[in-house]
Every structure is written in C-alpha cells, then in structure tokens.
Amino acid sequence: MARDDQNINALHTKSIIYRPEIDGLRALAVLPVMIYHAGISGITGGYVGVDVFFVISGYLITSILIAEVDKGKFNIATFYERRAKRILPALCLVSFLTTPVAILILSPSDLIDFGNSLISIATFSSNIFFWLEANYFEENVDLKPMLHTWSLSVEEQFYIVFPFFILLLRRLLKSHTCKLFMIAAALSFALSLVTYRAHASATFYLLPTRGWELLMGAVLAVPASNYNAAAGKAAVKNWLAIAGLSAILIPAFVYDKNTPFPGPYAIAPVVGTMLIIKYATPGTIVYRLLTVRPMIAIGLISYSAYLWHQPIISLFRYAKVEALFLWEQIALIFISLGMAFATWRFVEQPLRAARVTSKRSIFAWSAVALAAVAATGAILVQLKGMPARFGSNELGWATLEHSDEARTCLDKAEQCNLGSSKGPPNFAVIGDSHAWALFDALDDVASRYGLQGRFLASSACPPLLNVHLIKASPAKSRACKRVHDQIVPMLEQSPSIGTVFLVGRWQSAVAQNYDFRAWGLRTDAPADLPSSRAAFRAGVRHTAQELNAMGVRVVFVKQVPQQRELLEPLLARSWAALPWADREHSLSNGSVLVREHIERQREANAILLEGADFGADYYDPASVMCNNFRCPVAAGSSSFYSDDDHLSPAGAAKLAYGLVALIRPHRRPPQ
C-alpha cells in the first residue's frame, strides 16, 4: 500500500508529529498479507492487513490535508505531485521487472491477463479489472502476479475526489467535518452490508463498499493537529490499544477464504486499527511492541514489500506447480523484504528527496512511466500472449474442442440425436456443459452398439425438474426453461427411452466459494446457500421420483473430478518455458488428489444419493478417471481435460463405454 513519509515534516506540515508506532502498525499490516499470500498455515485471514492499510492511509492523508487547508497552504498540484513521487517509482519498477519473468513462465492466456493487468495498473483501475476477472478467494487466484494492486487503485480513486471534498468542508462546514465523514462512512458501510453476500466480489474490490475504511481513518484525523500523546488515563489507553491489537490479530488467525469478507467482518480490523492509532501512546504495551526496531524497519519498507511480495510468490508458485514447502514460503517472504529494502533505499528515498523545481517535469515523467507500463501490457495482449514460446502441439491440448454439432445443441438448448440413426431412441442425456463434454464420445460409442439417444442440455442449467438457476441473465433463464419444458414431453413422446442420464456440475449448488451458482425452486428464490441446498435436495428427489414413475431408469452421473487449475497454465509450466521442469512430474503433481476430489464433492454427492430412495442409480466418473492417489489430468500424449472441470474428447471416451453399459434398452411399465 502507498505509504506516507515516516517524517511528516518532509511534507512541510510541521504541526503533525512523527509517530513511530504507525510505522510499526504498517509492519503489522503488511506481514499478515505476505504470510497469507505465501500460503503459510495459521494466518488464514492475513488479507485483513489491507484493511489496516486503508485506515492508516485515511488517517495520515486526511491529517496532512486538513492541516494544509486550515493554514491556507493547500495546493492540489502539490498534493498530486507528492502522491506521484511516493507511489509511481516503486510501482513502475515492480511492473517492469516482473514482465520478463512473466514472459518466461506464464501461459499465453495468463500472459494476456497479465498484460491487461498492467494496463489497469497504469490507469489505476486494477480493482475494477480484477473484479471483472477474478474472485479474490477463488482457487489459484494467487497465481496472478499483480492481483494485489487492486488496493492501490481503491486508494487512488478515493484520493482523486477526497481532497476537493475536504477543501469544500473546511471552508463551508468546518465544524461539521467529522459528522459528514461519519455519514459518508455509514453510507459506504451500509452498501457493503447490503451487497457483501449477493455481490461478494464487487463488495471486496470496489471503492463504494471500501471507502468507509479510509473514511474511518479520516474521522480520527479531525483535527489531527490536536493529537496529544499524553492525553487520557494510562490504564484505559493501554487496554483499549490491546483490544485494538487483538481485533487485528484474531481475524488474521480466524478468518479464511470462506469468510464472507468484507461486510461486517471488516469491522474488527478497521476498529482495531482506529484504537491503536488513537490509544497506542508512549508507555502502552502496544506502543512498545510496535516501536521495536524490526517493526519500524519493516514499516518503513512496507509499501515496497507490499508491491514485491505478490509477483515474487506468485511466479515462483506458478513455476513450481506443486505445493510450496514451508522453507520456500519463508524464503520468499525474506526475498520480498530484501527486494523491498533495495527499492526503498535506492529508488523510493532518492526520488523523494530529489529536488525537482518543476511540477510539470514530475507530472510529465509520471505520464511517460505510466504510458510505458500500459504500452507493455498492450503489446502482450496484442501478441496474444506470445504462444510461439511454447510447442504448439503441447498447448494445443488446452484448446481441444468438441464438434460443432455438440456446441450447437448446447447453445440452442434443443433436442439432438446421439448414436445410431436407425430405430427408436433407447436413452437420453440431460444436463449442462458437463453433458456437452460427453456428446461426441457418447455419439461414437452408441453408434458402435447400434443405440440411439436424445441429448438435451444448456450450459449452467440444473438438470433437475422445477429447479431454476437464480440470478441468471434473461437469455440463460429462457434457455434453462426450454430444457426443463422438454424433459417430460420428450419421454412421453419416446416411450422407447429406457434410461436417462442426468449430468451436471452438482457441486456449484452447494459450493462455499467462487464455484457457487444459486439454484431455487422459484425464479425469484433467494440467491443464498441454504436456499440453493434445499432446492438441490428437493430437485433430486422430485426428478428421481417422477421419472422413475414413468418407468425410466434414472442415472445420476456424479461430477467429474475437478482439477486444481485450468489446463493451459499447467501444460505451459510443464513444457518449454521451464527448461528445468520434468514434464510428467509436473503434470502428475498438478493433478487433483483423490482425497481432494472426495472432499470437494462430499456434500453434493450426499444430496445426489438421496435419489436412491426413489429408485435412482449412479455412475461415478472417478472410477475410471482416478487411480488410488490422483485423478490424472493427462497421460502420455493425451489430455483428459479441456479446462479444469470439462473433459476433453479423450477424457470423455474413458466414460462413454461405462455409461453405455448402463443403458436399459426398454422401459419397464410405469408405476
């Protein structure tokens, strides 16, 4: 995060004293973030360090602005000059030095994403970019080298408007400044409470739902020049500061990726930071802890440490493929701190101290640097991620496509034929895009056995009677309705269909992470996990009961083992860009473990099995996709996946014979 000078006097605001405990507080903010991104167990909520940074930033910048405005010394050009000198040198340096390593390691699609992230950094919109591109808590999001820059964009967007807001308040409503800050913070916080579950990613990344954290720091700064470190009873201040420290540390250990953050869960680190800023005065325990030399030293380099740690950890993890050892995680943190010190010592400090008489020069060089960062990103995007770095045959695995017929059937959500063109249909396949992935393989195998089937699917649609995809687009809702409306009539019109395979990404209805897609028994049902779980359960039971009553054999196809990541990055990391990599070893270690698959699908499978009470049968793809230890993503020259959870034609072929063997060619009499 952007850090203000440790000596506020350097900003010519001598009435604001230097507070060493705030440098220590910066260390308390950056270390949990670094440990969290390194993946060290225990600090599962280290991301709250960003909230600490927000409050510190709001407090210090507002202190400076109010002091200058009240003295009549405020100049907007000078303010942005200081921001440019403080933020841009280290930010641009990290962006430029990360790029050649990214070119060496990242897959084409990931390098395109990296290029787009550079463009968003240069335009201070990376929070918007990552909101549209990635959930902060999804798996493998830590492989994005510049993900952490989202918080810098939040701050810079805030400070585009905030100085003018303060200028207006101090001139027209000076006595109401604190109240108006609190009202603005309350509105932002209220919006966060309304959106943090239904729009979790937007709430996490965007300024309207994060601004209250900066504003709470601003509240403390009214008026900052009246700060008196000796004021108040020592015992009370001591305990309040300890409470503040606890409010930061406890979430860092207790929160995790499943915590619906920020929303109300951000209150603890925000209030904790406020208590420390207000009450950790000389003589308190917290003051003594925060002002030990190592804490102040890390605080001084905290901005550079924040900038360096994510690309260093991310790119190393990307290159290694498999999980990091503890010693590697610790080493990466120390490397990040070393790079941070070098950047602080040889870039940040000299450029801040440089005497440049012309603001125009500073703004011109800033514009050139940002334009260069953006141009670098644009070139990577224009070159389509430089795929020539890799063997085309290897990366060709990742783009394996199914037939045009299969895609047309999925897109139109209409019935299609499978297998033989002779005789009446014997079976039907109903599902979502996971069913689409099986289309060509089932078509081929059914033809060989002289069987004919019907295919009916639409992407993301629950293949269950009377179960809807909640908060779907109008077009998707219509597609799902077309599928549901055809199921029973199709079976009634084709009494020869003896078996129906129901294929879906079942786990998405009960996932407690980014995979979650709410299902409901009504189109206006709540988009929350309990409602989705109940709809899933009711749909399984109702569908099994109704189709079984028609004399149809109902076979729920359990979800295909979901790999740890998309296929292309795994292939890229195991091939030409990494000359030290063992390809087979990398592919093996990148494949999902059986125990991981079982745990991921535990709840979904338990609900699916309730259909057995109504005569349903089951087919488990893991029986052919997995060995005793892993579910391999590939073998030899064949990839079994086209992404992390859809089978390639080769993978689908492994399932097709087992599914065809379950087909009952005739329907039993209806019950």
Side-chain angles (χ1 to χ4, degrees):
M1 306 295 292
R3 182 185 60 77
D4 301 283
D5 284 324
Q6 67 272 20
N7 190 342
I8 301 297
N9 291 332
L11 300 180
H12 309 291
T13 336
K14 296 181 180 180
S15 58
I16 301 177
I17 62 173
Y18 168 55
R19 299 182 57 184
E21 75 277 14
I22 290 183
D23 274 327
L25 186 56
R26 289 192 182 100
L28 184 64
V30 77
L31 288 174
V33 175
M34 296 174 71
I35 294 170
Y36 171 75
H37 285 152
I40 296 176
S41 59
I43 312 294
T44 54
Y47 50 82
V48 300
V50 173
D51 304 81
V52 176
F53 272 127
F54 281 156
V55 179
I56 295 173
S57 177
Y59 168 71
L60 290 177
I61 296 297
T62 305
S63 299
I64 296 165
L65 288 172
I66 287 179
E68 291 184 344
V69 169
D70 288 353
K71 291 183 177 182
K73 296 181 179 180
F74 175 71
N75 181 286
I76 191 65
T78 301
F79 173 78
Y80 288 127
E81 172 201 0
R82 292 198 302 252
R83 297 296 294 172
K85 290 175 67 175
R86 192 167 303 114
I87 294 167
L88 297 185
L91 178 61
C92 293
L93 176 69
V94 171
S95 299
F96 287 131
L97 293 186
T98 300
T99 298
V101 184
I103 292 172
L104 175 67
I105 292 175
L106 298 183
S107 71
S109 62
D110 286 336
L111 190 59
I112 291 172
D113 286 344
F114 176 77
N116 282 320
S117 72
L118 291 182
I119 296 171
S120 70
I121 288 170
T123 55
F124 293 109
S125 60
S126 59
N127 61 327
I128 298 172
F129 170 72
F130 286 113
W131 162 50
L132 297 172
E133 205 250 355
N135 185 307
Y136 187 81
F137 297 110
E138 71 183 42
E139 292 183 43
N140 297 312
V141 74
D142 51 3
L143 298 178
K144 298 181 181 297
M146 309 309 286
L147 174 68
H148 61 318
T149 59
W150 72 269
S151 59
L152 299 181
S153 293
V154 169
E155 283 197 28
E156 294 318 303
Q157 291 162 15
F158 182 80
Y159 292 126
I160 288 174
V161 177
F162 192 62
F164 299 99
F165 183 47
I166 288 182
L167 188 63
L168 184 67
L169 288 182
R170 301 304 282 179
R171 288 183 177 177
L172 302 179
L173 298 166
K174 184 173 183 179
S175 62
H176 300 287
T177 302
C178 187
K179 293 178 183 178
L180 291 171
F181 282 173
M182 294 182 71
I183 290 172
L187 292 173
S188 173
F189 180 63
L191 181 61
S192 177
L193 291 179
V194 170
T195 60
Y196 81 103
R197 288 192 181 275
H199 304 282
S201 191
T203 306
F204 186 91
Y205 284 117
L206 301 184
L207 175 61
T209 48
R210 285 290 196 164
W212 70 276
E213 301 179 31
L214 291 142
L215 286 165
M216 293 308 288
V219 167
L220 290 177
V222 185
S225 57
N226 287 341
Y227 172 81
N228 186 342
K233 294 183 178 180
V236 173
K237 290 190 299 179
N238 195 49
W239 284 109
L240 287 172
I242 291 173
L245 182 63
S246 302
I248 295 172
L249 291 179
I250 291 174
F253 286 95
V254 174
Y255 292 178
D256 59 23
K257 289 185 175 182
N258 294 321
T259 303
F261 195 85
Y265 294 90
I267 293 175
V270 168
V271 173
T273 306
M274 294 177 70
L275 289 174
I276 290 176
I277 292 174
K278 184 71 175 177
Y279 297 109
T281 54
T284 61
I285 294 173
V286 173
Y287 181 91
R288 290 197 293 269
L289 290 173
L290 294 179
T291 55
V292 296
R293 283 193 173 185
M295 292 294 284
I296 291 179
I298 294 173
L300 292 175
I301 63 171
S302 59
Y303 174 49
S304 289
Y306 185 82
L307 288 177
W308 275 115
H309 84 280
Q310 176 65 11
I312 288 173
I313 294 170
S314 170
L315 291 172
F316 184 86
R317 180 180 277 120
Y318 196 103
K320 191 185 177 191
V321 179
E322 54 197 297
L324 303 184
F325 294 113
L326 178 60
W327 71 266
E328 292 173 316
Q329 295 167 324
I330 295 173
L332 290 171
I333 290 174
F334 276 99
I335 291 171
S336 300
L337 291 174
M339 292 297 293
F341 174 77
T343 304
W344 175 80
R345 175 65 179 82
F346 299 108
V347 178
E348 285 191 71
Q349 290 298 93
L351 288 177
R352 286 178 186 170
R355 294 185 177 275
V356 181
T357 56
S358 171
K359 293 183 178 67
R360 181 177 298 178
S361 297
I362 293 175
F363 292 140
W365 280 110
S366 298
V368 168
L370 291 174
V373 172
T376 302
I379 290 170
L380 296 178
V381 174
Q382 185 65 30
L383 294 177
K384 301 185 186 303
M386 303 170 65
R389 297 170 295 144
F390 301 89
S392 59
N393 185 50
E394 284 68 39
L395 286 185
W397 283 5
T399 56
L400 287 173
E401 288 290 342
H402 298 270
S403 68
D404 292 339
E405 182 183 4
R407 171 56 65 182
T408 300
C409 292
L410 184 73
D411 291 343
K412 291 187 176 181
E414 296 176 351
Q415 292 182 45
C416 293
N417 290 330
L418 287 170
S420 174
S421 59
K422 300 178 181 179
N426 313 106
F427 70 98
V429 178
I430 301 169
D432 56 15
S433 58
H434 281 218
W436 159 78
L438 298 173
F439 183 97
D440 294 317
L442 282 173
D443 184 51
D444 178 60
V445 174
S447 294
R448 296 185 187 186
Y449 284 89
L451 298 171
Q452 184 182 137
R454 293 285 185 268
F455 178 87
L456 182 59
S458 183
S459 179
C461 294
L464 299 171
L465 296 174
N466 301 326
V467 177
H468 307 276
L469 182 65
I470 306 302
K471 293 204 169 181
S473 67
K476 176 50 60 182
S477 295
R478 289 192 295 270
C480 292
K481 187 176 186 303
R482 282 200 301 273
V483 170
H484 291 151
D485 289 349
Q486 294 178 74
I487 294 174
V488 172
M490 176 182 68
L491 296 177
E492 290 175 341
Q493 294 165 14
S494 301
S496 56
I497 294 177
T499 302
V500 171
F501 296 103
L502 300 173
V503 187
R505 190 175 186 178
W506 309 108
Q507 189 252 350
S508 64
V510 293
Q512 298 187 39
N513 57 23
Y514 73 102
D515 282 336
F516 179 63
R517 302 286 174 84
W519 293 0
L521 297 176
R522 308 184 319 274
T523 55
D524 60 347
D528 56 46
L529 185 58
S531 299
S532 183
R533 185 185 291 118
F536 183 14
R537 176 172 285 109
V540 165
R541 299 169 72 88
H542 172 64
T543 304
Q545 183 178 30
E546 182 158 340
L547 299 189
N548 187 58
M550 298 176 69
V552 174
R553 182 183 192 183
V554 179
V555 179
F556 285 104
V557 180
K558 295 182 180 179
Q559 187 172 321
V560 169
Q562 182 170 331
Q563 293 297 331
R564 292 170 169 173
E565 60 182 300
L566 296 173
L567 180 62
E568 185 192 281
L570 179 59
L571 294 174
R573 287 185 280 161
S574 67
W575 200 246
L578 301 177
W580 62 84
D582 181 323
R583 178 170 176 267
E584 294 297 331
H585 180 74
S586 296
L587 286 173
S588 175
N589 280 285
S591 300
V592 67
L593 299 174
V594 171
R595 60 177 173 79
E596 292 173 339
H597 164 65
I598 291 173
E599 183 58 33
R600 181 192 291 270
Q601 303 299 331
R602 185 182 303 281
E603 184 175 5
N605 284 341
I607 293 175
L608 282 178
L609 289 173
E610 294 183 17
D613 296 339
F614 302 94
D617 293 319
Y618 300 88
Y619 179 77
D620 189 355
S623 63
V624 294
M625 298 301 298
C626 306
N627 53 39
N628 292 332
F629 186 56
R630 291 185 185 274
C631 305
V633 70
S637 60
S638 296
S639 167
F640 300 139
Y641 288 79
S642 57
D643 55 27
D644 62 334
D645 64 295
H646 290 92
L647 295 178
S648 68
K654 291 169 69 70
L655 271 63
Y657 284 97
L659 290 171
V660 168
L662 294 175
I663 294 174
R664 184 166 61 198
H666 303 290
R667 192 180 302 188
R668 60 173 173 72
Q671 295 180 344

